[in-house]
Amino acid sequence: MTAETSATEQTAEPGGARKAAKRALPRHARRQNWPVAVLRTARPRQWPKNLLVFAAPLAGATWGRPHGALYALVAAAAFGCASVAVYFINDVVDAERDRRHPRKRFRPVAAGDLPKSHAVVIGTLAAAAGLAAGIAVRVPLLTAAVGAYLGFSFLYSFVLKNIPVVELVFLASGFLLRVLGGAAATHVPPSGWFLVVCSLGALGVAVAKRYTELAGLGPAAIGHRPVLRYYRPSALLATQWLIGLGMIAAYLAWAAGEHTDAQPWHLLSAIPLAAALIRFAMLTRRHTAAPVEDLLTRNGLMLTCELTWLALFVTGLQA
């Protein structure tokens, strides 16, 4: 029996053609069971951004209160639940548009693997869990930060996402609120310059995200995200560079303002930070359709710059 005959007989069996077609699809495009669909909608790859709650304690070299590390973990879990809630609700709202997107059409809600009603229920429960975390540990400011994050995120999704520049600010605010939530949970007030660094970093990521969408999809990008009609790739790139320069200047101002043995190390750490920002800008302009998060975490040179910065930063904390 030849291979060709075998293949013909296999597809002639009941369901054989369907199984063969399913195997030919990319893994993320195949029909998935309910738990896998829920997990994919929750976007585990995005969860590391919730580690920003540790930014204020790390920068201040103190946990700020007894069991501060535990409170920081609670803050990370709270923002993790809140961000999951936003993902589920957004996927329901954007389902029709996502079905026309080359990548987003494989999201479980858009693909029909997760019913919209289920996504709404899970999103509501996740939001409630995120808000309850601050109440459980008696940190009202943490609940306020999570509530602001949810409010801004849904306001963005339903109203502001089509307003140029404003939508970038609201997109970046989610990162800053994580920093403020961590500061509130641990009782470590962040310095003004440190907040400027975090704000500019978040805004730079938001601008890069819009550039990759516009450059990667070309004219079709406007159909998927109407606000992109107001942006120009060259202007977005120039803005990203300006934000990077501002971020380095603010970082140097923060490091120079320290009056401890950590100051020389933190000043020195500005070098790999600047190298990381330059590398990030170079990766952004490659007209890739890959998520911005992949540019930050899946490039060898980028990771080297980030780890070098972290090593110098932590060394300063130990000085």
Side-chain angles (χ1 to χ4, degrees):
M1 181 182 296
T2 65
E4 183 178 358
T5 304
S6 177
T8 302
E9 291 181 356
Q10 185 177 9
T11 55
E13 296 176 358
R18 191 184 308 113
K19 293 179 181 178
K22 184 177 180 180
R23 286 194 298 269
L25 288 173
R27 182 181 302 174
H28 60 278
R30 300 174 188 171
R31 189 89 177 171
Q32 295 167 339
N33 57 34
W34 193 86
V36 173
V38 169
L39 183 61
R40 285 193 59 226
T41 306
R43 312 223 210 323
R45 289 173 56 189
Q46 302 286 349
W47 294 353
K49 67 177 64 172
N50 297 307
L51 296 178
L52 282 170
V53 300
F54 291 95
L58 284 176
T62 175
W63 289 113
R65 64 187 301 186
H67 309 296
L70 180 60
Y71 281 97
L73 287 172
V74 171
F79 276 97
C81 290
S83 62
V84 166
V86 172
Y87 297 146
F88 275 87
I89 301 301
N90 278 357
D91 280 6
V92 172
V93 174
D94 296 335
E96 295 303 322
R97 185 173 294 167
D98 286 349
R99 290 189 182 105
R100 301 190 297 269
H101 192 279
R103 293 174 63 92
K104 296 179 182 180
R105 62 193 175 98
F106 297 121
R107 287 178 175 176
V109 175
D113 295 334
L114 181 65
K116 289 184 178 181
S117 59
H118 294 193
V120 170
V121 171
I122 295 172
T124 302
L125 292 175
L131 291 169
I135 299 174
V137 295
R138 298 180 181 179
V139 183
L141 285 178
L142 174 58
T143 300
V146 173
Y149 171 81
L150 288 169
F152 285 177
S153 296
F154 293 133
L155 186 63
Y156 166 84
S157 297
F158 292 102
V159 180
L160 301 176
K161 65 181 180 181
N162 293 321
I163 303 177
V165 182
V166 172
E167 59 97 18
L168 290 174
V169 174
F170 271 76
L171 186 63
S173 68
F175 296 92
L176 184 60
L177 284 169
R178 287 176 171 88
V179 176
L180 294 175
T186 57
H187 293 178
V188 179
S191 70
W193 281 120
F194 182 74
L195 287 178
V196 172
V197 172
C198 295
S199 300
L200 289 175
L203 188 58
V205 171
V207 170
K209 182 179 179 66
R210 291 295 174 262
Y211 175 83
T212 56
E213 290 174 338
L214 187 57
L217 294 175
I222 297 175
H224 302 299
R225 193 180 296 277
V227 74
L228 292 176
R229 65 166 50 92
Y230 300 106
Y231 297 129
R232 297 293 177 269
S234 58
L236 289 172
L237 276 181
T239 301
Q240 185 180 352
W241 281 102
L242 289 175
I243 290 173
L245 289 173
M247 183 178 174
I248 291 299
Y251 186 86
L252 288 171
W254 166 75
E258 291 188 308
H259 301 288
T260 65
D261 293 337
Q263 185 190 68
W265 291 101
H266 288 166
L267 287 171
L268 185 61
S269 69
I271 297 175
L273 178 61
L277 291 174
I278 293 172
R279 180 59 177 169
F280 182 52
M282 293 174 63
L283 292 173
T284 300
R285 64 179 300 174
R286 288 184 174 179
H287 294 197
T288 175
V292 168
E293 293 80 8
D294 287 356
L295 304 183
L296 292 169
T297 59
R298 295 196 172 191
N299 178 266
L301 184 54
M302 186 73 187
L303 285 172
T304 299
C305 294
E306 292 168 344
L307 291 175
T308 302
W309 167 81
L310 182 62
L312 291 173
F313 187 86
V314 172
T315 300
L317 297 179
Q318 304 300 321

